[in-house]
Amino acid sequence: MKAYPVILRQCDVGYLISVPDLDIDTQGDTVAEAIYMARDAIGAWATFEQDMGRVVPEPSTFMPKAKEGEIAIYVDVDFDTYRKDIDTTAVRTNVSIPRNLKRKAESAGLSFSSVLQAALKEKLQLTEVK
């Protein structure tokens, strides 16, 4: 896990976060969403850099100086966990369902994969953070 120093400031609409070590910015409607988006931006940026064979800079060992109206904080990111969370590689999974349900679903032209994915996302409450 790495913790990157960031600068948080309120804007006309929401909050802006700058990550000086990586020269990236992101925003959110609330402080919590802005921090979530910063974690996501850092993870996405680092994953791309790693995939391109480039080295991801280590976080600064010092906190950047915040100007008036800004707050300097750390945002932690676990790159290995982030990579696993965004991995959408399809995997084969064997499931058992009643025969009559299978026939009805096939007759309706339903995709078992799509229905199962949608049901799992709903059950796990996997929605955008707001």
Side-chain angles (χ1 to χ4, degrees):
M1 177 151 336
K2 304 202 184 251
Y4 284 86
V6 302
I7 300 289
L8 172 71
R9 75 171 168 264
Q10 189 169 9
C11 298
D12 292 337
V13 180
Y15 295 83
L16 176 71
I17 287 193
S18 298
V19 187
D21 289 342
L22 307 179
D23 196 28
I24 57 176
D25 299 323
T26 190
Q27 63 186 35
D29 292 337
T30 65
V31 170
E33 184 182 23
I35 292 170
Y36 173 87
M37 294 301 291
R39 188 172 287 121
D40 185 57
I42 294 166
W45 186 91
T47 299
F48 177 79
E49 291 298 303
Q50 290 170 341
D51 290 349
M52 298 306 293
R54 295 189 282 256
V55 176
V56 176
E58 290 295 317
S60 294
T61 56
F62 61 90
M63 186 65 78
K65 186 166 173 87
K67 298 176 185 170
E68 187 175 334
E70 297 179 336
I71 300 171
I73 59 172
Y74 285 100
V75 171
D76 63 320
V77 181
D78 183 332
F79 294 137
D80 293 334
T81 299
Y82 183 86
R83 184 175 288 282
K84 289 175 188 173
D85 285 347
I86 64 167
D87 183 2
T88 59
T89 305
V91 293
R92 184 172 276 294
T93 301
N94 186 22
V95 297
S96 298
I97 61 171
R99 182 173 282 129
N100 67 334
L101 189 57
K102 181 178 185 285
R103 287 186 187 133
K104 289 178 183 180
E106 289 173 338
S107 294
L110 295 177
S111 162
F112 288 97
S113 293
S114 295
V115 171
L116 179 57
Q117 287 177 49
L120 285 170
K121 287 176 182 178
E122 181 180 331
K123 189 74 169 178
L124 296 170
Q125 299 176 348
L126 298 178
T127 58
E128 293 296 316
V129 174
K130 289 288 178 180

